[in-house]
Amino acid sequence: MPNPAQLRDSTQIVLPAGTPAELRDRLAEEFVLTMLEEGDTYRFVGSPVEIDRASDYLVRQGVPIA
């Protein structure tokens, strides 16, 4: 049985509030993701395939992904 934390990690990206608005906007435009603003963080939720693609994009932009 899959671990819930692993499933959650494969379907979301959490970015800190300091992430430039242009980058957040680009994620929302380029990928099929839902953006949720939660306090001082932004959570992008989507399918594992879209999260993978968005993660690759963020790494290319110099944003560290844990």
Side-chain angles (χ1 to χ4, degrees):
M1 180 168 240
N3 177 348
Q6 284 179 309
L7 292 175
R8 186 174 45 252
D9 290 346
S10 69
T11 59
Q12 73 176 359
I13 297 171
V14 178
L15 298 175
T19 304
E22 297 82 23
L23 188 58
R24 294 190 315 262
D25 293 345
R26 181 73 176 173
L27 282 175
E29 291 171 6
E30 185 76 22
F31 305 98
V32 182
L33 301 171
T34 300
M35 183 180 79
L36 305 167
E37 187 174 350
E38 299 176 336
D40 62 346
T41 62
Y42 295 88
R43 185 164 52 110
F44 289 86
V45 180
S47 73
V49 171
E50 285 297 292
I51 293 297
D52 256 1
R53 291 180 59 226
S55 294
D56 290 346
Y57 171 77
L58 288 169
V59 169
R60 287 192 307 271
Q61 301 306 312
V63 177
I65 300 293

